[in-house]
Amino acid sequence: MTEFYTPDKDKQPHAADGAAREGLPNVLIIGDSISQGYTWPVRDLLAGQCNVDRPRANCGDTRAGLEHLDAWLAGRHWDLIHFNWGLHDIAHRHPDSTVYGNRDKVNGDIAVPGDEYRGNLELLVTRLEKAADRLVWASTTFVPPDEAGRFEGDEIRYNEMAVGIMA
């Protein structure tokens, strides 16, 4: 399995670890690297209102999601799970590329082709529905024009697939 980059600060215990307040809703944020970026501000904004957690790893693409979801759910039932997958699925990688994450949209292969992404996401949503009272899905963010490993527009196609699943 591909190991996805996780910044050192996201590997560290969160301030709320071990300090979950009884009686507050338990929220899990899960998904690719974008979710790492917004976990800390969400945790700060919801301090005292919710216990917010997330896996210590970058959850990568939907293949990694399926492989590791049980460990990330930690055998718990969550009040709410906020999730996203997509950017790592549309990344093109080539083992000889020296660009960060072996990104190469010219010579590389897409990480998870569309049909597989759709099927993986359907399975993930089914499993997440069993683990939480409520799900919140975040769409995949835009691909900038100079991105080395992704084509502009792939995020739109993958979001359209995801919208159909979420409906």
Side-chain angles (χ1 to χ4, degrees), residues 46-84:
L46 295 178
Q49 299 173 58
C50 297
N51 299 312
V52 178
D53 202 1
R54 75 157 278 116
R56 301 300 176 268
N58 178 344
C59 300
D61 59 30
T62 54
R63 287 178 185 160
L66 289 172
E67 184 177 344
H68 298 287
L69 188 62
D70 290 337
W72 295 333
L73 293 173
R76 297 173 57 186
H77 188 83
W78 299 86
D79 294 291
L80 184 141
I81 297 176
H82 181 283
F83 68 101
N84 79 294

Side-chain angles (χ1 to χ4, degrees), residues 61-111:
D61 59 30
T62 54
R63 287 178 185 160
L66 289 172
E67 184 177 344
H68 298 287
L69 188 62
D70 290 337
W72 295 333
L73 293 173
R76 297 173 57 186
H77 188 83
W78 299 86
D79 294 291
L80 184 141
I81 297 176
H82 181 283
F83 68 101
N84 79 294
W85 273 282
L87 276 181
H88 284 280
D89 293 86
I90 64 173
H92 293 254
R93 300 181 195 280
H94 189 278
D96 296 333
S97 173
T98 58
V99 177
Y100 167 72
N102 299 106
R103 295 177 189 181
D104 184 342
K105 65 184 176 188
V106 175
N107 300 306
D109 295 318
I110 194 163

Side-chain angles (χ1 to χ4, degrees), residues 24-165:
L24 292 181
N26 293 305
V27 175
L28 177 66
I29 296 176
I30 193 166
D32 61 30
S33 57
I34 294 298
S35 68
Q36 290 173 290
Y38 55 73
T39 294
W40 294 95
V42 167
R43 179 173 278 140
D44 291 343
L45 288 168
L46 295 178
Q49 299 173 58
C50 297
N51 299 312
V52 178
D53 202 1
R54 75 157 278 116
R56 301 300 176 268
N58 178 344
C59 300
D61 59 30
T62 54
R63 287 178 185 160
L66 289 172
E67 184 177 344
H68 298 287
L69 188 62
D70 290 337
W72 295 333
L73 293 173
R76 297 173 57 186
H77 188 83
W78 299 86
D79 294 291
L80 184 141
I81 297 176
H82 181 283
F83 68 101
N84 79 294
W85 273 282
L87 276 181
H88 284 280
D89 293 86
I90 64 173
H92 293 254
R93 300 181 195 280
H94 189 278
D96 296 333
S97 173
T98 58
V99 177
Y100 167 72
N102 299 106
R103 295 177 189 181
D104 184 342
K105 65 184 176 188
V106 175
N107 300 306
D109 295 318
I110 194 163
V112 180
D115 288 342
E116 182 183 351
Y117 172 77
R118 181 185 296 111
N120 290 351
L121 193 57
E122 286 174 346
L123 290 170
L124 285 163
V125 169
T126 298
R127 290 170 65 185
L128 291 171
E129 285 175 325
K130 294 175 184 174
D133 293 332
R134 175 173 277 176
L135 299 180
V136 175
W137 167 68
S139 61
T140 297
T141 59
F142 78 98
V143 172
D146 58 347
E147 166 46 60
R150 296 179 181 100
F151 290 99
E152 290 178 85
D154 280 353
E155 78 280 17
I156 294 167
R157 289 185 314 102
Y158 277 53
N159 278 334
E160 288 171 353
M161 286 184 262
V163 165
I165 294 164

